[in-house]
Amino acid sequence: MSILGTVKEVFQASNQATTTDESKGAYWCHDCQERVRDVDVKGESTPDCPSCGESMEFERSTGTAGCAC
């Protein structure tokens, strides 16, 4: 197999792994480095960190340089 064929397969595999679940970002605990995607949060309120219990901060918007996936 040529290197070009291998690169093509890698890109095809990465495209199949992309989620389409309408995520807009993620909640983040800076102290614990915990991350919870917004689509995994129940309800409308900001979740508490599962590790320390502090309120998490919404960030990593898909419209910025960070990834929300």
Side-chain angles (χ1 to χ4, degrees):
M1 173 172 271
S2 71
I3 193 158
L4 187 57
T6 303
V7 171
K8 182 179 176 181
E9 285 181 9
V10 168
F11 281 117
Q12 287 173 341
S14 68
N15 285 340
Q16 291 172 354
T18 303
T19 60
T20 57
D21 55 9
E22 303 299 319
S23 176
K24 302 283 188 241
Y27 292 94
W28 187 259
C29 178
H30 295 280
D31 293 335
C32 300
Q33 306 295 313
E34 287 279 343
R35 177 180 165 270
V36 178
R37 293 179 63 223
D38 63 334
V39 294
D40 296 331
V41 174
K42 306 278 191 264
E44 297 294 319
S45 63
T46 302
D48 293 334
C49 175
S51 296
C52 71
E54 293 294 318
S55 182
M56 299 178 89
E57 184 177 325
F58 186 77
E59 58 182 37
R60 294 188 168 206
S61 172
T62 55
T64 64
C67 177
C69 3

